[in-house]
């Protein structure tokens, strides 16, 4: 359609026609494709299926750990392959990584779900050694999906699973964007994962009742349980003034 419209516009500029019959045409924005994303249970099944294989071109444990890292860290295969022992800051519980697509570095937390895996692969005496010895696990992933009768997921599928799971668990989208090294405050994630946000929004809407949900503590009750040492500035001043009035001579 674009080529036809440009052709008529050229003819219009050259004076061959007086008006373009395609002037009213507008480009139709294609619907966004929702790519197949594994559930967390499917992800764990894939990891275990890879781990259970005796031969898969290289060490099955290595491949399984590589795939497990993708899903638990929410990073891509390039970031995983480039990760070195010194990039894991155990004291601050941070991981420094580099997004090759955007040519920018960023840090992610050492998530509780990820920590046992990296503890297992920790090598204190070789800070410059790669955490993983392989660059990808394409064949093991494909074989595991075939064995489990699952869609043919890719490395990127596990990052989508991480983001989807974070949204469903109520993690702020801006925080998720920071974890992904995005600089747009979550705009891309909101746009790409709008179908997940709708489902999460529907669940959150159930909290908006005329009563109080069971998991919410009323503010008045929370204040009454607050220790005296956590009084507000105004409350502290008022209490001090009252004490002065009582202790001052009449």
């Amino acid at each position: 359609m674009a080529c036809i419209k440009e052709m008529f516009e050229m003819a219009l500029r050259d004076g061959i026609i007086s008006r373009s019959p395609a002037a009213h045409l507008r480009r139709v924005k294609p619907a966004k494709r929702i790519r197949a994303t594994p559930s967390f249970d499917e992800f764990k099944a894939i990891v275990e299926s890879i781990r259970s294989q005796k031969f898969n071109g290289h060490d099955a444990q290595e491949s399984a750990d590589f795939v497990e890292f993708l899903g638990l860290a929410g990073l891509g295969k390039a970031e995983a392959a480039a990760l070195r022992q010194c990039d894991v800051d155990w004291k601050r519980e941070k991981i420094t990584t580099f997004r090759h697509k955007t040519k920018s570095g960023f840090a992610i937390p050492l998530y509780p779900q990820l920590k046992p895996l990296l503890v297992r692969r920790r090598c204190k005496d070789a800070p410059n050694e790669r955490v993983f010895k392989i660059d990808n696990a394409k064949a093991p992933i494909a074989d595991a999906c075939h064995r489990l009768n699952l869609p043919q997921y890719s490395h990127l599928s596990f990052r989508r699973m991480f983001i989807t799971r974070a949204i469903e668990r109520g993690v702020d989208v801006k925080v998720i964007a920071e974890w992904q090294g995005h600089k747009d405050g979550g705009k891309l994630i909101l746009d790409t994962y709008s179908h997940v946000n709708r489902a999460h929004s529907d669940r959150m809407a159930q909290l908006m009742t005329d009563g109080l949900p069971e998991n919410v503590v009323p503010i008045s009750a929370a204040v009454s349980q607050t220790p005296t040492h956590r009084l507000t500035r105004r409350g502290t001043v008022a209490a001090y003034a009252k004490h002065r009035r009582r202790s001052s001579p009449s």
Side-chain angles (χ1 to χ4, degrees), residues 130-228:
R130 288 171 53 180
V131 176
F132 302 101
K133 298 176 183 178
I134 60 177
D135 296 329
N136 71 82
K138 183 177 180 180
I141 293 171
D143 292 342
C145 289
H146 179 73
R147 285 191 297 271
L148 296 168
N149 196 27
L150 294 173
Q152 283 299 311
Y153 296 124
S154 66
H155 295 92
L156 195 57
S157 301
F158 304 117
R159 174 185 281 172
R160 290 198 299 270
M161 180 209 70
F162 177 91
I163 296 173
T164 299
R165 190 162 174 258
I167 293 173
E168 290 175 341
R169 283 177 164 250
V171 179
D172 186 80
V173 173
K174 185 176 181 181
V175 173
I176 300 173
E178 291 174 357
W179 291 349
Q180 290 298 302
H182 297 175
K183 307 297 183 183
D184 60 359
K187 183 179 181 300
L188 178 60
I189 289 176
L190 284 170
D191 188 38
T192 307
Y193 294 84
S194 58
H195 58 289
V196 181
N197 286 324
R198 284 195 296 271
H200 178 62
S201 176
D202 291 342
R203 286 197 300 273
M204 294 300 101
Q206 301 308 310
L207 299 176
M208 303 306 295
T209 66
D210 57 356
L212 284 174
E214 294 180 0
N215 62 337
V216 174
V217 178
I219 294 178
S220 57
V223 171
S224 66
Q225 297 172 12
T226 303
T228 54

Side-chain angles (χ1 to χ4, degrees), residues 237-249:
V237 172
Y240 177 72
K242 186 175 182 180
H243 170 73
R244 286 293 303 272
R245 287 198 298 271
R246 286 180 177 177
S247 59
S248 61

Side-chain angles (χ1 to χ4, degrees), residues 85-95 110 114-124:
Q85 295 287 343
C86 59
D87 294 330
V88 184
D89 189 332
W90 292 97
K91 289 184 179 179
R92 295 182 176 84
E93 296 197 335
K94 297 282 185 183
I95 300 173
L110 183 53
L114 178 61
K115 196 170 184 178
L117 170 63
L118 290 182
V119 167
R120 193 167 70 243
R121 300 198 64 90
R122 188 176 184 182
C123 186
K124 297 180 182 179

